[in-house]
Amino acid sequence: MYQADALDFTDKPAAYAELASQVRGLLEGEHDLIANAANFAALVFHALPMVNWAGFYFHDGKELVVGPFQGRPACVRIALGRGVCGTAAQSRTTQLVEDVNAFDGHIACDAASQSEIVVPLVRTDGSLLGVWDVDSPHTGRFDEADRTGMEKLCALFMDAVDRRNA
Ligand code: SME
């Protein structure tokens, strides 16, 4: 059973290392994409302080469609290149947005969201699975330590996805 407790993020690298070890344990031995995505979103959402949304958008071959998440109901479909998620998907680079109000084309699903980090999820064959998106009601909530930590968590998630396809 998982406690899924909030972690102490005073030392961010240490907290992300602990979270990474929890993610490894949670996904180990399970290959179902939706099950792993749902548990990953729940674990990370409850571990991180000051976040109001955490979840997946999956690429359906044409656009991004919302997947398992924690938080308020979200926009269902996002075109590639649109908003923070669509930009991460199209550019395949992590988007770290300190103030969503200053991001041209930001899509406001929850008016409370003020900052956001979106990590692209790319399979080993180079195809786009989707993106991992975390929102905060605080401006400037995410920094380089979050980028490093979140990319590591997503790499572990993608390991489980690629194992499924192996
Ligand atoms: N703000 C995002 C949309 C998704 S929600 O935040 C859940 C964006 O601009 O892509």
Side-chain angles (χ1 to χ4, degrees), residues 139-151:
T139 304
R141 157 69 180 80
F142 305 103
D143 60 16
E144 287 303 320
D146 292 290
R147 184 203 300 265
T148 306
M150 216 71 90
E151 286 180 347

Side-chain angles (χ1 to χ4, degrees), residues 74-99:
C75 326
V76 176
R77 290 174 187 274
I78 299 176
L80 292 189
R82 276 208 63 220
V84 186
C85 290
T87 301
Q90 193 168 60
S91 66
R92 297 187 177 201
T93 55
T94 298
Q95 301 295 304
L96 204 164
V97 180
E98 291 202 355
D99 179 0

